[in-house]
Amino acid sequence: MRKITILATVGILVFASALGAQQRNAIQAAADALGAGKIKTLQFTGSGANFSVGQNYTPNEPWPRVPVKNYTALMNYDTGSMRVELLREMGPAMPRGGGAPFFGEQRQIQVVSGNYAWNVPVTAPNAPAGQPAAAPDAQLERMLALWATPQGFIKAAMMNNATTRNAGGGTEASFTVGGKYKMTGTINAQGQVQKVTTWINHPIVGDMPVETTYTAYKDFGGVMFPSHIVQTQDGYPSLDLTISAVTVNPEANITVPDNVRTFNPPAVTVESKKMADGVYYLTGGTHHSLAVEMRDHIVVVDVPNNEARASAVLAKAKELIPNKPIRYVVTSHHHWDHLGGIRTAMDEGATIVTHQSNKAFLERVAKTPHTIVPDRLASSKKAVKIQTVADKGVLTDGNRTIELHLLKGYEHTGDMLVVYLPKEKLLGEPDAFTPPPQAGTPLVRTAVPYAKALYDNIQRLKLDVQTIVPFHGNRTSDVAELSKAATTSSSN
Ligand SMILES: [Zn+2]
């Protein structure tokens, strides 16, 4: 009896290892089918669209689509570097939702090499060779994009000792890059990589899935490559490309510019300007906030970017208004650049004040796993408190009043709450109107409808505004300038 058991066990082991070999062979078969072994560098060109991730009109809609006339990716698998150049094009109106307004053609060049990620400035001819990427994790994200390409995935699977298993007639291979970033992909019976999923850290949605699907493989002059690539981030398309050309082993010497190599990221600083008694304009970064003193607490409007910025904003508010807790954090709208510190505000114990259309999304945000880069809320696990606003909300202590008004007819976002302080005649607003650095400079034409919507709403609501406090830009403004900006546009 005992003997039979042993024999049976051995039989299972033999079977299991044969299966393992078969699946490992699937990676080798894919390497052969895709020519991964002989490809050191690769360039592909296509067109289609990229999408403004985190900028949807409501939290339940896809990301706004921006046409891409030309997309060229040059990769060097041996040196771990990649250069992506996009030529985007915008007509007379931005798509519904957010994203920085532009008109006509716009070139973007994003590069990664080893431990460095940077963007090549393309508008100023005498600009330095590279600008370090603003996002601290850009290097890893872009490196993952290199290893998510079909040939890159197979190379990475071999280098990182991928584990494999049978999956739906094909093979699923999984491994970890840099000890932290999980990658998993499926390979079909033809040795084609069909789908690669990886997860990157995001301050709002946590371990965010980035899923790239490869279909319609074709022979591009001797190399098999997909002719259609679709990538999603957090479930909605972020890139959709039809590939027109692939070049194997082109020259790809991607060198790190000196100013990128020696770059030290500046510390997060929050500057403040007193706008009225107990009302502070918090600037010093790309996105601004407001702190308002109430009788026994503080109200903060917008905690942008990420936890580092949000922590600094909340600390500054408490420094300017000592011995009072931050009881409310108003979020102007759900776009990710303005919402990046929302989990920090939740951890602070503040009640989040938001438009009602964001409630379900913020409840999800409070619970998203943050295992790649744990944040304050991931350890405190505080329960979220949300207070919703419909068309109008009021926060008051009996003396000071803060009104929140939903902008109507505003295509940038469906949930924009502007902040109005009737006594102080102040209006705080992000994105609708950013006064140009030089007064009198017309707005880019695609930004004019947003300024007009703000102007129309101020008239509709009969708000008596003396000072406009924008959450972008380098100065405050007024309704006269807004009115002019809403009716004139530049030729570009
Ligand atoms: Zn926005």
Side-chain angles (χ1 to χ4, degrees):
M1 188 64 201
R2 190 159 175 258
K3 206 172 178 179
I4 292 167
T5 312
I6 291 166
L7 277 177
T9 310
V10 170
I12 289 166
L13 283 173
V14 168
F15 177 70
S17 89
L19 200 63
Q22 193 187 341
Q23 282 158 5
R24 271 193 301 281
N25 284 343
I27 293 179
Q28 188 55 54
D32 295 342
L34 301 176
K38 56 178 197 283
I39 294 176
K40 310 280 182 205
T41 67
L42 186 122
Q43 177 173 290
F44 67 86
T45 303
S47 60
N50 78 344
F51 299 76
S52 305
V53 174
Q55 298 289 326
N56 43 3
Y57 184 75
T58 69
N60 310 314
E61 286 177 54
W63 313 129
R65 181 184 190 277
V66 178
V68 173
K69 277 171 83 172
N70 191 286
Y71 182 103
T72 300
L74 175 65
M75 288 156 292
N76 188 323
Y77 295 115
D78 281 358
T79 60
S81 46
M82 181 176 187
R83 181 185 190 276
V84 175
E85 181 167 342
L86 296 92
L87 182 61
R88 312 202 305 165
E89 190 177 42
M90 185 59 63
M94 294 290 290
R96 193 167 116 114
F102 72 103
F103 175 69
E105 288 186 348
Q106 181 195 65
R107 200 174 292 274
Q108 294 180 344
I109 302 176
Q110 300 159 353
V111 198
V112 63
S113 182
N115 296 322
Y116 302 96
W118 67 101
N119 301 321
V120 179
V122 286
T123 43
N126 297 320
Q131 284 170 350
D137 294 335
Q139 175 262 334
L140 281 163
E141 287 176 26
R142 291 182 192 175
M143 200 55 88
L144 290 171
L146 170 70
W147 300 123
T149 57
Q151 280 80 2
F153 181 78
I154 296 302
K155 283 171 180 283
M158 288 173 149
M159 284 189 293
N160 293 286
N161 286 323
T163 58
T164 54
R165 66 180 189 92
N166 260 340
T171 300
E172 186 188 271
S174 300
F175 52 89
T176 304
V177 176
K180 203 172 189 181
Y181 292 87
K182 200 180 148 210
M183 288 193 107
T184 177
T186 51
I187 301 163
N188 69 11
Q190 287 78 47
Q192 298 164 347
V193 176
Q194 293 177 299
K195 190 201 266 185
V196 175
T197 307
T198 185
W199 291 261
I200 59 177
N201 172 59
H202 190 277
I204 299 170
V205 294
D207 305 348
M208 176 171 78
V210 180
E211 199 170 274
T212 315
T213 306
Y214 301 105
T215 52
Y217 272 81
K218 271 187 6 194
D219 186 336
F220 285 92
V223 60
M224 291 302 288
F225 200 79
S227 58
H228 193 197
I229 300 177
V230 176
Q231 187 183 76
T232 65
Q233 290 188 31
D234 204 39
Y236 297 122
S238 51
L239 186 68
D240 186 335
L241 295 176
T242 299
I243 305 305
S244 53
V246 180
T247 312
V248 171
N249 294 330
E251 184 128 335
N253 299 318
I254 297 167
T255 51
V256 184
D258 284 345
N259 65 320
V260 171
R261 204 178 280 280
T262 56
F263 177 72
N264 271 322
V268 177
T269 51
V270 180
E271 284 152 26
S272 68
K273 188 182 175 193
K274 189 173 175 181
M275 302 303 297
D277 261 353
V279 181
Y280 300 92
Y281 186 27
L282 305 181
T283 62
T286 55
H287 292 61
H288 314 322
S289 307
L290 281 173
V292 183
E293 179 171 15
M294 307 299 266
R295 191 169 48 80
D296 60 355
H297 64 275
I298 304 170
V299 175
V300 170
V301 184
D302 269 13
V303 279
N305 303 132
N306 50 37
E307 182 144 283
R309 179 80 200 164
S311 299
V313 164
L314 297 179
K316 191 68 170 182
K318 287 188 277 194
E319 177 198 315
L320 292 163
I321 308 165
N323 305 317
K324 291 184 183 180
I326 297 169
R327 193 166 295 160
Y328 297 98
V329 170
V330 177
T331 179
S332 61
H333 66 308
H334 74 285
H335 287 169
W336 287 8
D337 54 329
H338 291 271
L339 197 69
I342 201 66
R343 284 175 52 94
T344 314
M346 292 172 180
D347 173 76
E348 183 76 21
T351 294
I352 310 301
V353 183
T354 189
H355 186 253
Q356 60 190 14
S357 61
N358 298 329
K359 187 166 188 278
F361 175 59
L362 290 184
E363 283 167 351
R364 183 194 142 208
V365 164
K367 290 185 182 145
T368 47
H370 280 59
T371 64
I372 302 169
V373 180
D375 62 359
R376 281 165 54 171
L377 191 62
S379 48
S380 77
K381 294 188 174 60
K382 269 193 195 157
V384 62
K385 295 174 276 183
I386 298 174
Q387 183 172 317
T388 61
V389 173
D391 283 359
K392 184 183 176 185
V394 176
L395 298 170
T396 181
D397 61 3
N399 182 30
R400 192 194 304 279
T401 300
I402 302 174
E403 294 180 13
L404 305 171
H405 293 281
L406 176 70
L407 289 192
K408 300 281 175 78
Y410 181 52
E411 289 294 294
H412 176 84
T413 190
D415 62 322
M416 180 66 78
L417 298 176
V418 295
V419 181
Y420 178 56
L421 276 61
K423 257 191 212 165
E424 295 81 3
K425 300 185 178 180
L426 279 177
L427 181 94
E429 58 83 23
D431 299 349
F433 175 52
T434 299
Q438 299 259 311
T441 313
L443 298 176
V444 60
R445 74 164 73 175
T446 47
V448 172
Y450 304 145
K452 185 171 187 317
L454 179 62
Y455 180 78
D456 290 348
N457 276 278
I458 290 171
Q459 303 305 309
R460 173 180 66 84
L461 297 161
K462 300 186 168 58
L463 306 182
D464 181 9
V465 178
Q466 220 157 57
T467 310
I468 294 175
V469 183
F471 288 10
H472 292 291
N474 64 350
R475 63 188 179 90
T476 56
S477 183
D478 54 32
V479 176
E481 188 185 6
L482 170 66
S483 161
K484 204 164 163 220
T487 50
T488 358
S489 72
S490 72
S491 54
N492 56 33

